Amino acid sequence: MRILAIDTALPAVSACVLDHDAEQPIASETIAMERGHAEAIMPLIERVMSKVDGGFSTIDRVAIAVGPGSFTGIRIGLAAGQAIALACKAEVVGVSTLAALAAPLILDAADSVVAAAIDARHGKVFVAAFGPDGRPLLTPRRAGAHEALRALGDGPLLLIGSGAELLAKEARSCGMAVKIVSEQAAPDIEFVARLGLAAKPETAPAKPLYLKEPDVTIAGKPPEAAPAPEAAPAPGDAAPPTALAETAPESSAQTITPSEKLASAPAQA
């Protein structure tokens, strides 16, 4: 299977083409930007696809970063990806920006909890966390640092994302072992593609993942409701069903391969 991944949800515009059995993308490009996503995304995709033999006709699936992130950015990526998927008669899946941020850390985590955090302003973060085997410990939500950390146990904790420092500061004040791996603003587009390859269209729909109401609304029209976060499992409870994993490891001591870790880290959890 060949996948085209697109991300315009955060301060970057990215696209990547990856084959399911390849170690490296066929082509990839990322441009960091705060504004101008709508004008930049299609020329960027065209440049990426110009490096792919056979072009758009070889695309079997399109993966779109569905948030959390900018309302406008999310919609731009969805519009571009769904249009391309329709034209190519390709499947389309949605991938959470939090899962894509966390994915490279999950592959390397030994005994640490991995948390991806995006700065949501006003002292809040968009956050999700995963165990060393890739299973979700904290489903995506908008929360304060103290609230988020209460669900993560005693650590150690690996952090990534623009909200990592906010969580790290709170973790240190609680005596939790913590390490910031990166404060990057957007995920590596290759991991949007890899999670997209592992996803199933019926369980990872290409729909916006909003975790807060818009800052601006049309007069007389109620804002779109953000989905209520799922409760995090209590320590010792079974992990909730994931969007991608078909089977779960029987024991935490079981050896987990990189592909199994990514399959256990749901595209939208």
Side-chain angles (χ1 to χ4, degrees):
M1 180 184 291
R2 177 168 291 177
I3 193 167
L4 166 65
I6 299 168
D7 181 12
T8 58
L10 292 165
V13 173
S14 303
C16 169
V17 177
L18 178 71
D19 284 341
H20 74 280
D21 56 352
E23 293 186 3
Q24 299 293 331
I26 298 172
S28 180
E29 183 176 343
T30 295
I31 302 174
M33 58 172 56
E34 294 287 342
R35 296 179 179 82
H37 293 58
E39 294 77 16
I41 185 58
M42 290 310 299
L44 185 146
I45 291 173
E46 289 173 1
R47 290 194 298 273
V48 169
M49 293 305 304
S50 70
K51 302 173 185 177
V52 178
D53 290 341
F56 285 99
S57 64
T58 66
I59 298 300
D60 303 300
R61 178 177 286 187
V62 178
I64 309 166
V66 295
S70 157
F71 276 83
T72 302
I74 292 168
R75 291 187 180 278
I76 289 167
L78 283 166
Q82 289 171 338
I84 291 170
L86 182 64
C88 296
K89 296 181 172 60
E91 298 176 336
V92 60
V93 295
V95 174
S96 161
T97 51
L98 292 167
L101 276 166
L105 274 62
I106 292 170
L107 291 178
D108 295 331
D111 58 355
S112 299
V113 171
V114 172
I118 298 168
D119 185 0
R121 300 180 182 178
H122 309 297
K124 303 280 189 177
V125 292
F126 299 124
V127 60
F130 305 84
D133 60 359
R135 292 201 189 183
L137 299 178
L138 185 68
T139 54
R141 65 194 63 203
R142 181 175 179 262
H146 181 71
E147 178 187 347
L149 286 170
R150 281 192 308 172
L152 299 182
D154 299 324
L157 185 63
L158 296 180
L159 295 175
I160 189 169
S162 59
E165 180 56 39
L166 185 63
L167 282 185
K169 183 177 180 181
E170 180 69 21
R172 293 181 188 115
S173 71
C174 299
M176 182 185 296
V178 61
K179 177 182 178 182
I180 297 176
V181 177
S182 171
E183 294 184 69
Q184 65 195 67
D188 184 337
I189 189 64
E190 179 182 339
F191 285 93
V192 176
R194 293 198 181 280
L195 286 173
L197 284 170
K200 294 181 179 179
E202 61 270 21
T203 55
K207 296 181 179 180
L209 179 58
Y210 296 143
L211 299 180
K212 69 181 290 288
E213 294 179 350
D215 295 323
V216 178
T217 59
I218 299 173
K221 182 179 179 181
E224 294 185 48
E230 299 176 24
D237 286 354
T242 70
L244 301 184
E246 295 182 3
T247 58
E250 295 180 0
S251 167
S252 60
Q254 180 177 345
T255 300
I256 308 296
T257 67
S259 59
E260 286 173 331
K261 281 191 175 186
L262 287 186
S264 295
Q268 296 190 20

